Amino acid sequence: MSLDIVILAAGQGTRMRSALPKVLHPVADKPMLGHVIDTARSLQPQSIQVVIGHGADKVRERLAADDLNFVIQAEQLGTGHAVAQALPQLSADTVLILYGDVPLIETATLQRLLALVSDDRLGLLTVELADPTGYGRIVRDGNGVVQAIVEHKDASEAQRQIREGNTGILAVPGKRLADWLGRLSNSNAQGEYYLTDVIAMAVADGLTVATERAADEMEVLGANDRIQLAQLECHYQQRLARRLMAQGVTLRDPHRFDVRGQVSVGRDVTIDINVILEGKVVIEDFVSIGPNCVIKDSVLRKGAIVKANSHLDGAEMGEGADCGPFARLRPGTKLGAKAHVGNFVELKNAVLGEGAKAGHLSYLGDAEIGARTNIGAGTITCNYDGANKFRTVLGEDVFIGSNSALVAPVTLGDRATTGAGSVVTSDVPADTLAVGRAKQRNIEGWKRPTKK
Ligand code: UD1
Ligand code: CA
């Protein structure tokens, strides 16, 4: 059965009070509409039509992709009118309607809904609400058969007692849609062409309307203001946290854990509080992440340990490597197996070999550091002359004395040593000690100045 999906995203979203079109407001760093598009893709439709209007250029610019077709609805005359704008593009057996501001709808729910649809049957997703104010109500006859949807503003007092609300998400036989939409009228309380009027038309034409209940109200909740947006964010995070825990991750507090991207996690991973994972993060088995860490686009191999307050971006930690507390691993950082990075150490575009150590207060940029090499406290690579960047290359088992300045480009051979406080400006051969500092002299009997 072929499928076209129409996503309505033309509305203004006044209550966001924002220069950004409503559907671009993010949940977990991704525009709400982006979530809906990804869910739509998961159903493998033959086409995805995105109906845009307010902020159309910004929406298109942000989300354009080969498998999307954008349709302009110049004036927002109602949800029925919005779907009608996409009609010329539709040809599938089934048409599914989704909403750009209802981002948490899940693939499994939509699959259940689509399973209901046939040539003479519609599938309608409804939700039981404690307070259905504002929602269209599902009107059923004495046998419980769906007859119509009545919008809140058009509903009688008796109809307003109905707590079964319309989520708006609807799947219909494609052949019928043009006829029904062509017959919509806007003589109603809001003067709009209601998509919901299609239900009564379908019933009059002898079709049945099968319903599916959303398991969870949040799944079908739209965000009209930033309060609802925050609720969706919270729900999204909780849902993800539960999934990760089910996969074998210990979250010390699932309420203080945020994923803003795609994460793959192994087993027996422990994540302490206030950890934020961004972009694409891969976490293998037995990794432990301390509190207050931000980890973006990084790979943590088996058993890696990230201690409190560390910040990783574009980094890879090898098996059993550890960093922090207060480590900063910037793009291009690669720690070998069992490598150790301690507090207040910053690495950028730097490779630390297996078992190498930088324990305290260092900056290592554009550097290649061999296995088991030890970087003393306060060491920095002077990789930038104000115009260009240069590399520092250290061999294996090198020992860099504390407070050394390695002025790149510079290469130190295996087992080389530098004296503490050295400014190293030229290469050091293997097995050699370099001392690049003023020689100490002692002045005997020297008297300190005294106050006059
Ligand atoms: C709609 C439903 C209502 C349902 C509710 C669920 C209709 C007539 N009513 O009401 O039964 O309970 O959603 O939230 O469908 N849109 C356009 N173009 C338009 C009008 C709307 O793209 O011309 C988009 C909006 O951006 C929004 C969505 O469609 O994303 C829903 O529109 P809105 O006006 O908010 O409908 P509701 O009054 O909430
Ligand atoms: Ca709405």
Side-chain angles (χ1 to χ4, degrees):
M1 194 181 67
S2 59
L3 175 66
D4 284 317
I5 297 181
V6 180
I7 304 175
L8 303 192
Q12 183 164 22
T14 322
R15 280 181 283 159
M16 283 289 179
R17 301 192 190 282
S18 173
L20 194 68
K22 171 159 92 167
V23 293
L24 292 187
H25 278 264
V27 169
D29 273 359
K30 180 156 81 177
M32 289 196 280
L33 178 55
H35 286 272
V36 181
I37 290 170
D38 285 347
T39 304
R41 283 180 176 133
S42 73
L43 297 166
Q44 293 169 322
Q46 67 171 38
S47 89
I48 300 177
Q49 311 294 329
V50 185
V51 181
I52 52 177
H54 280 281
D57 292 343
K58 284 183 185 164
V59 175
R60 205 198 314 243
E61 191 182 309
R62 178 69 207 269
L63 292 166
D66 289 345
D67 60 347
L68 301 180
N69 184 55
F70 290 92
V71 177
I72 299 283
Q73 184 193 24
E75 266 187 295
Q76 281 70 59
L77 302 180
T79 48
H81 178 260
V83 176
Q85 307 313 299
L87 268 177
Q89 316 295 328
L90 306 179
S91 60
D93 303 330
T94 302
V95 176
L96 171 67
I97 317 293
L98 300 175
Y99 299 83
D101 58 352
V102 181
L104 302 191
I105 186 68
E106 295 201 54
T107 303
T109 305
L110 294 175
Q111 280 167 337
R112 290 202 306 275
L113 184 71
L114 289 170
L116 302 175
V117 184
S118 66
D119 281 349
D120 52 11
R121 212 151 73 143
L122 286 69
L124 176 64
L125 189 65
T126 72
V127 60
E128 193 75 18
L129 295 153
D131 175 14
T133 305
Y135 279 76
R137 304 299 207 285
I138 311 299
V139 178
R140 295 177 185 263
D141 69 10
N143 297 319
V145 177
V146 174
Q147 299 297 305
I149 297 176
V150 181
E151 289 304 300
H152 182 88
K153 286 186 179 146
D154 298 283
S156 65
E157 250 334 295
Q159 287 167 333
R160 286 185 181 176
Q161 302 309 309
I162 299 171
R163 288 187 23 211
E164 187 182 7
N166 172 33
T167 65
I169 294 171
L170 174 68
V172 301
K175 283 201 260 312
R176 303 285 193 139
L177 194 58
D179 170 45
W180 292 332
L181 293 178
R183 282 153 52 200
L184 290 180
S185 123
N186 66 350
S187 45
N188 51 51
Q190 302 183 76
E192 288 180 5
Y193 296 93
Y194 293 161
L195 177 63
T196 45
D197 285 350
V198 159
I199 299 299
M201 289 180 185
V203 172
D205 286 350
L207 284 82
T208 52
V209 179
T211 56
E212 178 67 39
R213 286 285 171 92
D216 178 347
E217 192 177 324
M218 296 302 291
E219 195 186 334
V220 294
L221 191 72
N224 293 307
D225 57 34
R226 296 189 201 232
I227 297 167
Q228 289 173 330
L229 188 66
Q231 288 168 341
L232 291 183
E233 175 83 31
C234 182
H235 183 75
Y236 175 88
Q237 296 300 344
Q238 291 310 298
R239 195 162 85 181
L240 232 151
R242 279 198 300 275
R243 276 180 199 162
L244 291 178
M245 290 188 285
Q247 282 171 34
V249 176
T250 295
L251 296 175
R252 300 292 287 270
D253 181 355
H255 294 276
R256 288 180 287 173
F257 169 66
D258 288 81
V259 176
R260 301 172 189 164
Q262 276 175 284
V263 45
S264 92
V265 189
R267 288 195 187 184
D268 294 309
V269 165
T270 301
I271 300 179
D272 212 322
I273 61 166
N274 296 335
V275 168
I276 301 176
L277 305 179
E278 295 178 2
K280 214 170 164 227
V281 176
V282 176
I283 301 174
E284 295 187 351
D285 296 351
F286 305 113
V287 163
S288 152
I289 302 173
N292 306 320
C293 292
V294 178
I295 301 176
K296 180 180 176 188
D297 296 323
S298 292
V299 178
L300 310 182
R301 300 278 175 223
K302 205 168 165 183
I305 299 170
V306 180
K307 293 180 189 158
N309 299 299
S310 292
H311 194 286
L312 280 65
D313 179 3
E316 179 176 340
M317 290 179 69
E319 284 195 16
D322 74 289
C323 76
F326 294 99
R328 178 155 187 226
L329 310 186
R330 293 171 53 201
T333 296
K334 222 176 149 186
L335 305 187
K338 301 256 182 203
H340 164 70
V341 169
N343 46 225
F344 307 106
V345 174
E346 173 181 348
L347 284 91
K348 186 218 72 180
N349 197 19
V351 178
L352 217 53
E354 190 171 337
K357 292 178 182 167
H360 336 259
L361 298 155
S362 286
Y363 170 63
L364 304 171
D366 302 310
E368 203 175 299
I369 293 161
R372 297 172 306 280
T373 284
N374 184 74
I375 308 288
T379 295
I380 67 162
T381 53
C382 311
N383 60 327
Y384 184 53
D385 62 6
N388 298 300
K389 303 251 167 91
F390 301 95
R391 291 186 69 70
T392 300
V393 179
L394 307 184
E396 299 185 347
D397 299 293
V398 169
F399 186 94
I400 303 294
S402 295
N403 231 28
S404 293
L406 307 173
V407 183
V410 70
T411 299
L412 281 72
D414 294 346
R415 296 169 304 280
T417 304
T418 69
S422 290
V423 177
V424 181
T425 53
S426 42
D427 291 355
V428 182
D431 301 296
T432 303
L433 169 67
V435 184
R437 63 184 185 218
K439 205 173 164 89
Q440 178 176 333
R441 55 193 182 112
N442 294 343
I443 301 171
E444 277 169 37
W446 185 77
K447 293 277 185 298
R448 286 186 207 157
T450 51
K451 250 189 184 141
K452 290 195 177 113

